[in-house]
């Protein structure tokens, strides 16, 4: 039995500072609140996750572009 099964130790996402996260929920006080996805590197957001997997969506200096 392994004792190093904690999520924080084994999670690839916890090691990446430049990643796509979501879905995030807008506050209920926002009219027509929805969920959205965010690129943590260039801080751009979209309600469609597939947008974040296109190179043209990200800022020129974004480090996530290499993963698209």
């Amino acid at each position: 039995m392994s004792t190093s099964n904690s999520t924080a130790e084994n999670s690839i996402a916890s090691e990446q500072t430049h990643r796509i996260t979501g879905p995030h929920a807008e506050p209920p006080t926002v009219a027509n609140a929805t969920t959205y996805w965010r690129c943590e590197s260039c801080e751009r957001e979209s309600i469609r996750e597939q947008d974040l997997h296109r190179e043209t969506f990200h800022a020129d200096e974004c480090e996530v572009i290499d993963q698209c």
Side-chain angles (χ1 to χ4, degrees):
M1 181 173 140
S2 175
T3 58
S4 62
N5 286 339
S6 74
T7 302
E9 287 179 323
N10 295 328
S11 173
I12 294 172
S14 68
E15 298 172 8
Q16 297 175 347
T17 56
H18 305 291
R19 64 185 190 276
I20 295 171
T21 60
H24 302 281
E26 291 181 315
T29 55
V30 174
N32 299 321
T34 187
T35 57
Y36 62 95
W37 297 80
R38 176 186 306 128
C39 173
E40 296 294 335
S41 180
C42 65
E43 299 182 2
R44 292 190 178 177
E45 301 171 345
S46 177
I47 60 172
R48 292 178 300 277
E49 180 185 8
Q50 64 268 24
D51 287 347
L52 282 85
H53 296 284
R54 295 186 190 117
E55 291 181 23
T56 56
F57 176 83
H58 299 274
D60 292 337
E61 67 279 356
C62 182
E63 296 180 19
V64 174
I65 290 176
D66 296 336
Q67 299 171 17
C68 292

